Amino acid sequence: MVNNKINLSVIIPAYNAESYISECLDSIIKNGCDDIEVLVIDDGSTDNSKDVIKEYVRKDNRIQYIYQNNSGVSAARNMGLDNAKGRYIMFLDADDFVDNKVFDELLEDILEEMPDFTAYSKKILYPNGRIKDIFFDIKEDRCSDKRFIYELMYASSSFNECWGKIYKKEIIDKYGLRFPAGIKIGEDLLFVYSYFEKCNSFELVNSCLLMYRQHEESAMRKSLTDDRLKITDMLYNCGQDYLNKINDSELSYKADIYYFRVLTNLCREFASSNSRNESIRRIYTSEVSNKIMKKLKLKMIPTYKVHEYLLMKYKMVSLSAFYYGLKARA
């Protein structure tokens, strides 16, 4: 049951996070606000994360420590959802941190009753210390244009992560929404898809909730070709299932173009590997590639992508390996 005295539950999965978790929790403490709770889910850490987190629990009664045997980030977030008491949910990674006074601004929105789905712009911290703000392409600070938001959801990578968004706990509970178990990549977007489809009101906000720390090698980039293709197929199917329900052919076309670009980006990424020919062959013969290429026609392809369309359509693996190898080195 949702506790009306707690407006916001912040869920933080933590695995061997002793190097970053202090900065994360310090940023929350600096924000103040009594009507939030912070659930730190220790996913079976083998370092000193437990001791660090418990020290913060002693300093701030808003912070709770929950331990689980190592089961992965999805299970940790689900554990947080099982224990959350707030009206709204926010996810935060243990190596990220929030901006000053973010909760004051956020809780003002919450008290005015937020839309079902609210997404915020991004602030990314790169390994070299550079910070990049990524804003939505909207004229005002806020946008509730449902059509535009649908396009971002199904035909772009704007909502790939579960963080940077605020969710209504009552919607999550009503439909029993949880992160899929046993999936190492793409679990964020699968959850966001499931939640998004249950929403009736939407809003984009050009303000950043948190600083996302970009590491040298993300889990996505370290994954094998087959894993990447499997999750790409799952995500494509989820989007197409919903677009078919609402019978939106224009948006479905834009989604096909977007996923075609995802596949060409995969070709470029794996072209620098020792098994580039085999990786590209797998991409070209994958289920998701076959589905997309059956729907796309040459006249639908942007001019600068025509040659990549032809390479994929006719499965010219060796030429593609040479071409994407050059692109990867550019």
Side-chain angles (χ1 to χ4, degrees), residues 136-180:
F136 297 115
D137 186 17
I138 53 180
K139 294 180 180 179
E140 307 293 336
D141 290 338
R142 294 172 181 265
C143 172
S144 299
D145 183 336
K146 189 173 182 179
R147 173 72 188 183
F148 178 66
I149 296 172
Y150 265 55
E151 185 170 333
L152 292 185
M153 180 74 253
Y154 295 109
S156 82
S157 59
S158 297
F159 299 147
N160 278 11
E161 309 89 2
C162 66
W163 48 260
K165 301 166 185 67
I166 300 298
Y167 308 86
K168 284 187 176 179
K169 182 70 158 50
E170 64 179 349
I171 293 177
I172 292 174
D173 289 346
K174 179 179 179 180
Y175 296 100
L177 302 179
R178 290 296 185 269
F179 287 82

Side-chain angles (χ1 to χ4, degrees), residues 44-136:
S45 296
T46 57
D47 64 359
N48 294 318
S49 293
K50 177 180 179 179
D51 295 335
V52 175
I53 298 165
K54 285 205 165 184
E55 181 60 31
Y56 280 89
V57 172
R58 286 189 284 270
K59 291 192 294 185
D60 194 318
N61 61 13
R62 298 172 302 167
I63 300 174
Q64 300 176 39
Y65 173 83
I66 300 173
Y67 180 86
Q68 69 172 25
N69 292 329
N70 181 245
S71 305
V73 66
S74 289
R77 289 176 178 143
N78 290 340
M79 177 70 78
L81 290 174
D82 291 342
N83 288 272
K85 299 180 179 66
R87 294 170 56 211
Y88 292 85
I89 301 292
M90 171 182 169
F91 295 104
L92 184 65
D93 287 345
D95 53 354
D96 301 334
F97 52 94
V98 296
D99 287 348
N100 291 335
K101 296 184 178 179
V102 70
F103 292 129
D104 288 331
E105 298 172 7
L106 182 55
L107 290 169
E108 281 185 21
D109 287 345
I110 286 175
L111 293 175
E112 294 178 2
E113 189 65 24
M114 297 180 72
D116 294 341
F117 178 88
T118 307
Y120 292 77
S121 53
K122 304 176 184 180
K123 191 182 290 285
I124 300 176
L125 173 62
Y126 290 95
N128 62 5
R130 182 171 67 94
I131 296 174
K132 182 178 181 181
D133 293 327
I134 301 178
F135 294 106
F136 297 115

Side-chain angles (χ1 to χ4, degrees), residues 16 39 51 63 285 294 317 322:
N16 289 352
L39 307 175
D51 295 335
I63 300 174
T285 58
K294 284 180 181 178
V317 173
F322 175 75

Side-chain angles (χ1 to χ4, degrees), residues 182-193:
I183 296 178
K184 296 180 180 180
I185 56 173
E187 75 287 344
D188 284 39
L189 185 50
L190 288 172
F191 176 83
V192 176
Y193 265 149

Side-chain angles (χ1 to χ4, degrees), residues 41 65 101 125 148-149 198 216 261 276 288:
I41 316 301
Y65 173 83
K101 296 184 178 179
L125 173 62
F148 178 66
I149 296 172
K198 309 302 182 186
E216 292 286 359
R261 288 173 172 161
R276 62 183 185 179
V288 64

